[in-house]
Amino acid sequence: MTKLAYCDGIREAFEYCMDKDEKVFAIGQGLWSPWYVGRSMDNLDTRYGKDRVIDTPVSEQATTGIAVGAALLGYRPVVIHPRMDFMILATDQIVNQAAKWRHMLGGKVSPSMVIRGIVNRGGEQGAQHSQALHSWYAHIPGLRVVMPATAADARDLLIAAIQCDDPVLYIDDRWCYEHEEDVAPAADVDLASIRPVLRREGADITLAAASYSVLLAMEAADMLAADGITCDVVDIRMLNPMDPSLVRTSVRKTGRLLAIDGGWRTCGFAGELIATVSESLEPGDWRARPQRITLPDAPAPTSKPLEDAYYPKASIVAKTVKQMLG
Amino acid sequence: MTFDLGTLSDPAHYVDRIALDNQPTDALIHALRHMIRIRFAEEAVAELSLSGEAKCPCHLGIGQEAVAVGISSQLRSSDRIFGGHRSHSHYLALNGSLDKMMAEILGKETGASRGMGGSMHLYAPEVGFHGSVPIVGATIPIAAGAALAAKMDGKGDVAVGYFGDGACEEGVMHETLNMAAVMALPCLFVVENNLYSSHLDIGLRQPANSVARYAEAHRIPHRVVDGNDVVAVRKAAGELIEAARRGDGPGFLEAVTFRWRGHVGPNEDIDVGVQRAPEILAAWKKRDPVARLWQSLLADRGVDTAMLPAMELEVRAEVASAVDAARAAPFPPASALLDLVYAPNHAAQGATA
């Protein structure tokens, strides 16, 4: 086992897949510069050449469409959007094209590609440099959406996404980049085998989240343990299609569910998670009403005190849990 | 450069025979047959729409047959071609199956896309046709991506992206032309400039009526031709495709043409918008790509006058047989609704969760 950081896990996944399959290539803005993607792609261009690690003009839609076209002809491109806010410009190619070609062409072809969208927020960057739009994209049939929370998953979910025959939106969060853990050597991963996992086991409440919100839940669980409150922490990992069975089983045990999400509240992932789990539980399974912690329904502010108030924190998670426990 | 189409957009011109040059007679007869096959197939689709048998939106390109036939005569099956909403001709000119096209339009499982796509989603990779979609301009970057794949393959294949003058108003066309030029992608961009986007004349949408100016801006070699002259299209496409195969980068071909039917459906769309009067349509029907090639073959190559009626009889029989087969074919099974969303080894995951 070796220690690996989240952002290095991303780079390891590229190296693993590009070593193994010559059809894998990366394309997007900033790939020849450390400014855009942290150290998650350092030196890939020198190692694999600028024909396989392609830095592009400022053209999100054409770049993503080029990746779709290459995927239709047998390549496995990873198109990188260093900020999800700008990925919105490529939405036609993601939603109308990549996600739909398999179904609309009768299953005869599938764009086997990864769209990597990076959540890059905080630091007073404001409304157009902060967004986490996973809930939008998880709404789309045909588009798999994965969000790693840990270093091992940062690597393994990217390998799984690249090796998957479906288009996959892989969303990494720069707030997770320095998260470290011991990992086994990289290996092939079948995305079909990816299910939610229990990151921590407890008895009093189920905390369910994905990506950075899992780290918040873990931190809150640590704080609550000091007060004798124990939590199940479920990392959802794949938002679409979502498998709610582990959360359901957990809530049958704890009777309480708190969904935590770094996106907005309305029509968001936290609400979807609560609805999906609730539909298959009985009224008697609950010891408290399910709750969610999300961003407030407002664009990200720049001013420091407003930004402090905007993002969920572990202390707020812990406080909400205590309220739910009465 | 003024980028004014001049006489090319005036239907009083280019109504006579075309210059056959040194093109072999066999190849010209082959082109004639392909154009007739496209025209009769689309006339049959119009009938199916009128009768209500075909419900999906069908965008007919009757009058524009020479463009796809001229381009396709320069392509091979390992090339990769993409179309848009009006792509029956692109598919058929590559010798795409007529049976599968008719079945697709009727939503049958034997269709080109197993009945899941309809007229706007044809697919025949075995002949080089890799897909068409109605989001205007969407396949322009996709064709460029297929060209990138061809460049990476290193076998001299090219990609072709067909689109219309309306798609030139989409930002993604400009993004793609820029990227194709800077990346030297082996891609031929073919604009069928039929002077209309849906109901609006190009004069009400753009400050100049020749869209080749966009290629000039991106330093892409371009040609502007009479799109109803199959030999002119073939020759211009040949030069641009040969350069792309050599590794010289993209090309841009503007073929000026006119559709005889409306934007969508079997009608002629007289006066549904602006500037499409009956006399304009009547004038354009005189610049008929099929009749001009036939008259040229008669005059310059002395072909038998009986050849055309015989050919028409055969093609009509082929079209009728395709329609009959499509009518008799089954619809896709109910399971196709959910089973085709994800790749087969992943299909059950969402459902069992």
Side-chain angles (χ1 to χ4, degrees):
Chain A
M1 302 287 268
T2 52
K3 198 71 122 181
L4 184 75
Y6 186 101
C7 61
D8 297 320
I10 294 170
R11 192 179 57 251
E12 267 201 27
F14 276 107
E15 289 169 351
Y16 180 82
C17 293
M18 293 182 78
D19 281 340
K20 185 164 177 157
D21 183 353
E22 63 180 16
K23 297 283 191 185
V24 176
F25 71 92
I27 184 168
Q29 287 172 49
L31 303 197
W32 300 341
S33 160
W35 294 354
Y36 289 79
V37 291
R39 65 174 193 271
S40 70
M41 298 187 74
D42 271 2
N43 298 320
L44 291 178
D45 56 332
T46 49
R47 180 163 172 178
Y48 297 100
K50 287 182 160 53
D51 291 335
R52 264 184 100 190
V53 179
I54 304 168
D55 205 332
T56 68
V58 190
S59 302
E60 289 81 4
Q61 193 178 354
T63 301
T64 308
I66 283 171
V68 173
L72 292 171
L73 272 296
Y75 284 81
R76 288 185 179 267
V78 183
V79 56
I80 291 104
H81 295 282
R83 262 182 223 281
M84 285 196 88
D85 312 68
F86 296 80
M87 195 173 100
I88 293 172
L89 294 165
T91 300
D92 170 56
Q93 288 296 327
I94 298 169
V95 173
N96 279 326
Q97 311 310 330
K100 292 192 175 48
W101 276 54
R102 162 174 283 281
H103 194 266
M104 122 193 137
L105 297 182
K108 292 189 172 182
V109 68
S110 189
S112 306
M113 63 185 290
V114 177
I115 302 122
R116 178 183 168 204
I118 303 178
V119 179
N120 185 355
R121 58 190 164 171
E124 304 177 18
Q125 297 183 87
Q128 296 181 351
H129 270 41
S130 301
Q131 294 173 87
L133 298 167
H134 46 278
S135 298
W136 267 19
Y137 293 100
H139 184 61
I140 306 302
L143 182 67
R144 293 177 174 278
V145 179
V146 299
M147 289 179 84
T150 68
D153 264 5
R155 182 190 68 187
D156 296 346
L157 293 186
L158 183 53
I159 293 172
I162 292 171
Q163 294 183 342
C164 179
D165 288 339
D166 294 316
V168 181
L169 173 58
Y170 171 99
I171 301 171
D172 53 291
D173 187 328
R174 288 183 71 151
W175 279 355
C176 298
Y177 272 24
E178 300 308 323
H179 174 270
E180 285 188 340
E181 66 183 339
D182 287 326
V183 296
D188 289 355
V189 184
D190 182 356
L191 198 60
S193 72
I194 296 298
R195 292 286 187 278
V197 293
L198 202 56
R199 295 285 179 202
R200 185 183 181 116
E201 198 167 350
D204 300 314
I205 189 166
T206 304
L207 307 180
S211 189
Y212 176 72
S213 299
V214 174
L215 304 185
L216 278 185
M218 296 292 280
E219 193 184 339
D222 280 341
M223 297 160 80
L224 291 162
D227 296 326
I229 299 167
T230 62
C231 309
D232 263 4
V233 177
V234 179
D235 179 355
I236 299 295
R237 304 166 88 202
M238 179 148 47
L239 277 64
N240 188 41
M242 180 172 61
D243 176 357
S245 55
L246 181 61
V247 179
R248 196 163 53 212
T249 305
S250 172
V251 174
R252 283 203 178 105
K253 175 181 72 178
T254 65
R256 299 179 183 92
L257 172 62
L258 176 60
I260 308 154
D261 184 33
W264 290 299
R265 184 180 183 84
T266 302
C267 290
F269 169 64
E272 176 62 29
L273 178 64
I274 290 170
T276 303
V277 170
S278 301
E279 280 171 334
S280 53
L281 291 176
E282 298 301 325
D285 291 329
W286 297 98
R287 287 191 234 170
R289 282 175 288 123
Q291 301 283 312
R292 58 185 145 163
I293 292 175
T294 66
L295 296 180
D297 282 339
T302 52
S303 185
K304 190 167 182 56
L306 293 181
E307 190 177 61
D308 280 345
Y310 187 69
Y311 291 110
K313 294 177 182 58
S315 58
I316 294 168
V317 176
K319 187 177 162 195
T320 307
V321 168
K322 285 183 179 172
Q323 286 169 352
M324 289 174 72
L325 263 66
Chain B
M1 280 174 269
T2 63
F3 292 106
D4 186 317
L5 291 173
T7 53
L8 278 175
S9 60
D10 179 352
H13 298 266
Y14 301 97
V15 293
D16 297 326
R17 295 196 299 271
I18 62 175
L20 300 183
D21 288 357
N22 57 352
Q23 303 292 320
T25 303
D26 283 357
L28 293 167
I29 291 171
H30 190 70
L32 180 71
R33 189 185 181 95
H34 261 305
M35 287 199 281
I36 289 171
R37 183 167 174 260
I38 293 165
R39 180 164 298 182
F40 287 3
E42 293 214 290
E43 286 173 355
V45 172
E47 291 301 317
L48 290 169
S49 294
L50 281 170
S51 71
E53 277 183 272
K55 291 285 192 192
C56 70
C58 293
H59 303 77
L60 304 175
I62 295 171
Q64 303 187 173
E65 299 88 349
V67 183
V69 171
I71 303 282
S72 300
S73 71
Q74 301 286 6
L75 297 172
R76 57 198 195 200
S77 63
S78 54
D79 291 328
R80 47 291 306 264
I81 294 90
F82 293 85
H85 55 289
R86 196 180 313 286
S87 271
H88 299 158
S89 64
H90 310 146
Y91 165 99
L92 290 173
L94 291 163
N95 215 23
S97 159
L98 198 50
D99 284 2
K100 289 182 179 176
M101 187 182 101
M102 291 300 181
E104 190 58 42
I105 288 168
L106 295 187
K108 299 301 182 72
E109 199 188 13
T110 52
S113 299
R114 291 177 63 187
M116 300 296 287
S119 161
M120 300 186 290
H121 298 295
L122 299 176
Y123 186 64
E126 66 280 4
V127 295
F129 194 74
H130 285 267
S132 56
V133 304
I135 299 291
V136 177
T139 51
I140 301 174
I142 292 175
L148 176 61
K151 187 178 179 180
M152 289 174 163
D153 290 342
K155 294 174 184 165
D157 293 327
V158 300
V160 175
Y162 285 105
F163 49 101
D165 44 302
C168 297
E169 293 147 24
E170 296 283 5
V172 74
M173 189 212 68
H174 303 272
E175 290 187 13
T176 306
L177 258 53
N178 179 61
M179 286 187 70
V182 81
M183 295 171 77
L185 300 179
C187 191
L188 179 64
F189 300 101
V190 179
V191 179
E192 290 174 290
N193 185 350
N194 63 20
L195 309 173
Y196 281 84
S197 172
S198 175
H199 59 292
L200 272 190
D201 180 274
I202 193 167
L204 296 165
R205 298 180 285 114
Q206 297 187 28
N209 67 3
S210 175
V211 297
R213 66 189 188 279
Y214 301 124
E216 177 74 17
H218 293 290
R219 300 193 175 184
I220 294 175
H222 49 87
R223 302 276 187 284
V224 182
V225 297
D226 170 8
N228 289 13
D229 175 343
V230 72
V231 174
V233 173
R234 175 182 156 76
K235 285 166 62 181
E239 291 169 28
L240 295 167
I241 288 170
E242 194 184 322
R245 289 200 202 286
R246 272 201 311 268
D248 292 353
F252 187 103
L253 177 62
E254 178 174 5
V256 183
T257 185
F258 201 84
R259 59 171 155 73
W260 293 7
R261 304 292 177 111
H263 165 63
V264 60
N267 302 318
E268 293 185 332
D269 276 10
I270 301 298
D271 294 333
V272 293
V274 287
Q275 294 183 14
R276 188 176 164 96
E279 50 273 23
I280 292 177
L281 177 58
W284 273 98
K285 284 186 176 180
K286 291 179 181 163
R287 196 190 278 186
D288 178 355
V290 176
R292 288 166 72 204
L293 175 58
W294 173 240
Q295 292 302 326
S296 309
L297 279 166
L298 281 176
D300 299 351
R301 301 291 167 91
V303 297
D304 185 346
T305 53
M307 193 185 73
L308 183 64
M311 187 185 281
E312 289 179 337
L313 211 59
E314 284 172 22
V315 173
R316 280 200 198 287
E318 189 194 355
V319 170
S321 159
V323 171
D324 287 346
R327 284 177 173 139
F331 288 105
S335 59
L337 194 60
L338 292 178
D339 285 353
L340 296 174
V341 179
Y342 298 104
N345 55 330
H346 301 304
Q349 189 168 330
T352 56

